Amino acid sequence: MALTLEQAQRVGYTCLKALLRFAFMVANNLVAIPSYVLYLIVLQPLRILDSKSFWYIEGVLFKWLLAMVASWGWWAGYTVVEWGDDVKAVSEDEAMVLVNHQATGDVCTLMMCLQDKGTVVRQMMWLMDHIFKYTNFGIVSLIHGDFFIRQGRTHRDQQLVLLKDHLEKYYRSRNRKWIVLFPEGGFLRKRRETSQAFAKKNNLPFLKHVTLPRLGATQVILKTLVAPQENGTPSGGDAVRKESKSKGLQWVIDTTIAYPKAEPIDIQTWILGYRQPTVTHVHYRIFPVKDVPAEPEALTNWLYQRFIEKEDLLTHFYETGAFPPPQGQTKAISREMTLSNLWLIAIQSFAFLSGGMWYCLFQYLYHCLF
């Protein structure tokens, strides 16, 4: 069927907009990421003299980089509405954030909706698939101290040992507050069939909107970061915890991401902006870590129950367009998450000015030397 003139114009406009957005994203990366790295290289003496101040500055730069990623979606009309508990109330405490995983856009959504949660966005540690290390943002995550985990049964035991060592070495020495992980171990579309087969074999609920989570990383995080008085078991990194006077991990934030019509946003859409403006819905539920069992079997059941609840939340959302109200209440309250365009423009301007400054500096040094 031939396109009408109006349809052709619309397609042409969408393609042109996508091309311009892609060009801006490339330019943004070419100035922002090298500038982040160069600033931290220059500040290495400060890292030796005052490590706390160094990681404070690194955190601010890291937050700004995440805000730049958030701006690509924000300016395309990809916004967030939040439901459930107010996580700002625990933003200064240590917490583990459990998130369902549907597409690459989940990470971008979190980068956006955590921007207004106080200082925690610059004090976060992310657990992500090792393939992310080889993306344009990989060098930033490496410097920041995020952990890249290899999936697969053959790597599982070794990766958990490496995770424990990583947490003990970097989590509190860099004053991290929240640690974000996706316990399903992969995208919904890739793991759903395997998860359903496992559920059927083990007489577990049949899940369509989430998959059964994996225990390993969650258990290691709890054992390593929860203070002994919280769950009665020893935890790793005792020397570091005493030095920083940390109370240990205090909360588990169960986070559920829902997309209209169960159509998740991927990173390509986030960058190119060819999808119509979309509101992503994020639901939070906060659990005190003292209520989370430490024993493996009980912890497994507790974690399964969280994802069974996610299934119910998502089923309700896809049927009604809203999350259900909390128990004992008649209406669920939603909060529209907003970003300041002026602030985003200021951060982008700083990135491009920094890129220009480093370019001029290297040009000057080149002419001096040669």
Side-chain angles (χ1 to χ4, degrees):
M1 184 177 179
L3 290 176
T4 65
L5 179 60
E6 183 180 350
Q7 290 172 327
Q9 289 176 334
R10 191 181 302 118
V11 170
Y13 171 74
T14 301
C15 292
L16 177 61
K17 184 178 71 172
L19 182 62
L20 292 174
R21 285 176 58 87
F22 181 75
F24 176 79
M25 183 276 296
V26 172
N28 202 178
N29 276 273
L30 288 176
V31 295
I33 294 176
S35 293
Y36 166 88
V37 174
L38 290 168
Y39 277 125
L40 295 183
I41 290 174
V42 170
L43 289 170
Q44 284 304 302
L46 178 63
R47 183 177 181 180
I48 297 171
L49 297 172
D50 187 353
S51 176
K52 184 177 181 180
S53 295
F54 173 86
W55 288 113
Y56 175 87
I57 295 171
E58 184 278 334
V60 171
L61 295 174
F62 183 78
K63 177 180 179 177
W64 289 355
L65 285 176
L66 267 57
M68 291 177 203
V69 175
S71 72
W72 306 340
W74 180 258
W75 288 333
Y78 305 146
T79 58
V80 173
V81 167
E82 299 176 308
W83 304 73
D85 295 333
D86 182 5
V87 295
K88 287 183 182 179
V90 299
S91 63
E92 295 302 316
D93 299 332
E94 291 186 25
M96 177 173 63
V97 184
L98 306 176
V99 192
N100 62 314
H101 209 9
Q102 300 176 67
T104 48
D106 297 341
V107 175
C108 300
T109 296
L110 289 174
M111 288 181 178
M112 177 186 287
C113 63
L114 294 175
Q115 283 294 318
D116 69 343
K117 304 300 183 292
T119 62
V120 72
V121 71
R122 60 178 171 81
Q123 295 175 284
M124 305 175 76
M125 179 179 286
W126 297 71
L127 264 65
M128 57 194 74
D129 192 279
H130 79 286
I131 199 68
F132 193 81
K133 186 189 300 184
Y134 307 105
T135 67
N136 60 313
F137 209 78
I139 183 65
V140 174
S141 291
L142 278 170
I143 294 171
H144 184 69
D146 296 329
F147 184 76
F148 302 96
I149 191 164
R150 293 181 65 91
Q151 303 295 341
R153 190 172 300 174
T154 56
H155 304 288
R156 191 170 300 161
D157 292 341
Q158 180 194 26
Q159 290 298 296
L160 295 179
V161 172
L162 292 174
L163 173 59
K164 183 178 186 296
D165 293 342
H166 186 89
L167 293 173
E168 291 178 340
K169 186 175 182 180
Y170 297 117
Y171 188 81
R172 294 204 171 94
S173 67
R174 299 186 181 183
N175 194 30
R176 298 296 174 243
K177 292 292 187 182
W178 287 9
I179 183 164
V180 182
L181 68 154
F182 301 90
E184 290 165 295
F187 297 140
L188 173 64
R189 67 179 185 277
K190 294 183 176 180
R191 290 213 60 245
R192 178 160 41 199
E193 186 175 340
T194 303
S195 175
Q196 290 174 345
F198 177 84
K200 183 177 180 180
K201 182 178 179 181
N202 292 275
N203 197 30
L204 294 167
F206 183 87
L207 307 176
K208 296 189 299 180
H209 306 306
V210 295
T211 65
L212 290 170
R214 293 171 177 174
L215 176 67
T218 304
Q219 186 175 32
V220 168
I221 291 168
L222 290 171
K223 281 188 174 181
T224 309
L225 299 183
V226 173
Q229 65 270 22
E230 295 285 2
N231 65 356
T233 61
S235 61
D238 288 332
V240 177
R241 184 174 56 254
K242 289 176 183 176
E243 182 180 341
S244 63
K245 299 180 181 179
S246 168
K247 296 179 181 178
L249 204 69
Q250 294 174 269
W251 310 99
V252 175
I253 303 174
D254 187 24
T255 304
T256 304
I257 299 176
Y259 298 95
K261 300 179 182 179
E263 297 176 354
I265 299 176
D266 55 29
I267 187 65
Q268 298 94 322
T269 306
W270 192 269
I271 292 170
L272 299 177
Y274 51 77
R275 182 167 165 177
Q276 291 297 310
T278 301
V279 179
T280 301
H281 297 258
V282 181
H283 183 280
Y284 305 106
R285 190 176 177 197
I286 302 173
F287 295 88
V289 78
K290 62 183 177 60
D291 294 340
V292 180
E295 193 275 325
E297 184 175 351
L299 178 59
T300 300
N301 292 333
W302 185 90
L303 196 57
Y304 280 177
Q305 188 58 41
R306 301 289 73 74
F307 277 76
I308 292 169
E309 289 175 1
K310 286 181 185 292
E311 175 78 11
D312 295 337
L313 286 170
L314 290 169
T315 298
H316 190 280
F317 177 85
Y318 295 139
E319 290 175 352
T320 66
F323 283 112
Q327 189 173 7
Q329 299 184 22
T330 58
K331 185 178 180 182
I333 305 299
S334 63
R335 304 172 294 276
E336 185 176 351
M337 187 265 163
T338 60
L339 291 175
S340 166
N341 286 317
L342 183 61
W343 179 63
L344 294 176
I345 291 171
I347 291 172
Q348 294 285 6
S349 299
F350 175 79
F352 283 99
L353 288 171
S354 295
M357 179 194 71
W358 291 115
Y359 176 78
C360 292
L361 179 61
F362 282 117
Q363 285 285 92
Y364 174 76
L365 293 174
Y366 177 82
H367 287 300
C368 289
L369 295 174
F370 302 102

